[in-house]
């Protein structure tokens, strides 16, 4: 158990819908990261927050957004969902931005 | 353009023997490398890391070697156990500043199977 929690574990929804994935980092970690794992793209970095501020962005679609709240939990919002958004979404956290990242169990999103 | 490559999709090893997993990278500015293990339906688990100021780091049965001139790192597991069967990812942590600071870039993974 890494100490990072993610909810929900599974999510099934339809195209065009909007969903919110939630992540609670390890106690004391200020940095939160979101990654997407799809069959054809592997593990891809989406976005990073540090103490409430966005600090780095990867190949995140404009339909996706995230935020980190004052209690340091983070939410990833996915809207206008398409079939190709079906993937595993992982949250990770670290003490600082330059240290090892610890991953949560992931949320499996299925878009039908 | 893959910056981190694991050229072996799979590796099969007998229990008790050594497992060697390899990884190549393209950017000589990368200076911090990590290995993660992943079981199906779980998140990646951090195993071991190495900074570019070192060429070797050990943690129990796991040793990571870094060859900067060849832009190559490897993970050695000795002795291998059936419970080590998983997907192993190498990753680079970008720490050179700029907008990618803190980003992990992963290889495609190697499926390790350890037979009893």
């Amino acid at each position: 158990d890494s100490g990072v929690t993610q909810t929900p574990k599974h999510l099934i929804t339809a195209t065009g819908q909007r969903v919110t994935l939630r992540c609670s980092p390890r106690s004391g970690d200020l940095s939160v990261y979101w990654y997407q794992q799809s069959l054809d793209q592997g593990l891809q970095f989406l976005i990073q927050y540090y103490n409430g501020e966005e600090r780095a962005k990867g190949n995140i679609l404009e339909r996706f957004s995230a935020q980190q709240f004052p209690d340091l939990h983070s939410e990833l919002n996915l809207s206008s969902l398409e079939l190709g958004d079906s993937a595993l979404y992982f949250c990770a956290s670290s003490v600082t931005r330059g240290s090892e990242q610890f991953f949560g169990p992931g949320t499996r999103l299925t878009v039908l | 353009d893959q910056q981190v490559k694991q050229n072996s999709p799979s590796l099969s090893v007998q229990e008790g023997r050594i497992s060697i997993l390899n990884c190549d990278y393209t950017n000589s500015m990368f200076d911090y490398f990590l290995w993660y293990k992943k079981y199906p339906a779980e998140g990646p688990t951090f195993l071991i890391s190495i900074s570019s100021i070192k060429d070797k780091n050990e943690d129990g049965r796991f040793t990571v070697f870094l060859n900067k001139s060849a832009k190559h790192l490897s993970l050695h597991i000795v002795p291998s156990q059936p419970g080590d069967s998983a997907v192993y990812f190498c990753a680079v942590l970008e720490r050179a500043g700029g907008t990618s600071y803190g980003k992990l870039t992963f290889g495609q993974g190697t499926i390790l199977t350890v037979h009893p």
Side-chain angles (χ1 to χ4, degrees):
Chain A
D1 184 355
S2 67
V4 178
T5 60
Q6 288 186 249
T7 56
K9 195 164 177 62
H10 301 278
L11 201 47
I12 301 174
T13 188
T15 54
Q17 296 297 304
R18 172 189 168 96
V19 297
T20 297
L21 312 184
R22 183 188 167 101
C23 167
S24 291
R26 293 185 319 161
S27 176
D29 284 359
L30 298 178
S31 284
V32 170
Y33 313 79
W34 287 96
Y35 292 84
Q36 179 192 58
Q37 184 181 28
S38 57
L39 279 173
D40 55 344
Q41 293 291 320
L43 270 159
Q44 300 279 317
F45 169 75
L46 293 177
I47 198 164
Q48 174 198 150
Y49 280 81
Y50 177 78
N51 204 19
E53 292 187 15
E54 180 186 307
R55 289 300 182 97
K57 250 181 175 177
N59 296 326
I60 186 167
L61 299 170
E62 283 192 16
R63 301 183 285 109
F64 295 2
S65 65
Q67 53 184 327
Q68 186 180 27
F69 294 87
D71 66 352
L72 301 178
H73 91 271
S74 177
E75 292 180 357
L76 179 67
N77 300 296
L78 316 175
S79 61
S80 303
L81 285 167
E82 302 175 0
L83 295 177
D85 297 328
S86 295
L88 272 165
Y89 291 84
F90 291 106
C91 170
S93 72
S94 64
V95 174
T96 67
R97 295 168 64 206
S99 58
E100 292 80 3
Q101 296 174 22
F102 295 86
F103 283 75
T107 293
R108 179 174 291 281
L109 173 66
T110 302
V111 182
L112 300 175
Chain B
D1 178 28
Q2 282 186 302
Q3 299 189 79
V4 182
K5 294 181 185 178
Q6 293 176 254
N7 291 317
S8 298
S10 63
L11 175 67
S12 184
V13 169
Q14 206 67 29
E15 181 179 6
R17 302 285 191 131
I18 184 171
S19 295
I20 300 177
L21 298 127
N22 294 302
C23 179
D24 297 297
Y25 60 96
T26 58
N27 190 338
S28 58
M29 298 297 292
F30 289 153
D31 71 344
Y32 201 74
F33 307 89
L34 306 90
W35 284 93
Y36 285 84
K37 177 171 77 172
K38 187 179 182 303
Y39 294 116
E42 293 185 14
T45 300
F46 169 69
L47 278 176
I48 192 168
S49 60
I50 188 166
S51 163
S52 61
I53 62 172
K54 292 183 167 185
D55 54 18
K56 176 182 171 181
N57 190 26
E58 281 183 83
D59 184 359
R61 297 186 297 114
F62 301 92
T63 303
V64 56
F65 295 91
L66 177 62
N67 182 333
K68 290 184 288 293
S69 60
K71 299 197 201 69
H72 177 84
L73 64 153
S74 60
L75 175 69
H76 293 211
I77 306 174
V78 183
S80 301
Q81 299 172 354
D84 295 329
S85 298
V87 181
Y88 288 78
F89 292 94
C90 70
V92 168
L93 179 61
E94 296 192 38
R95 307 197 304 179
T99 56
S100 293
Y101 188 86
K103 169 186 172 185
L104 274 176
T105 300
F106 287 88
Q108 309 94 301
T110 297
I111 301 170
L112 173 65
T113 304
V114 180
H115 298 283

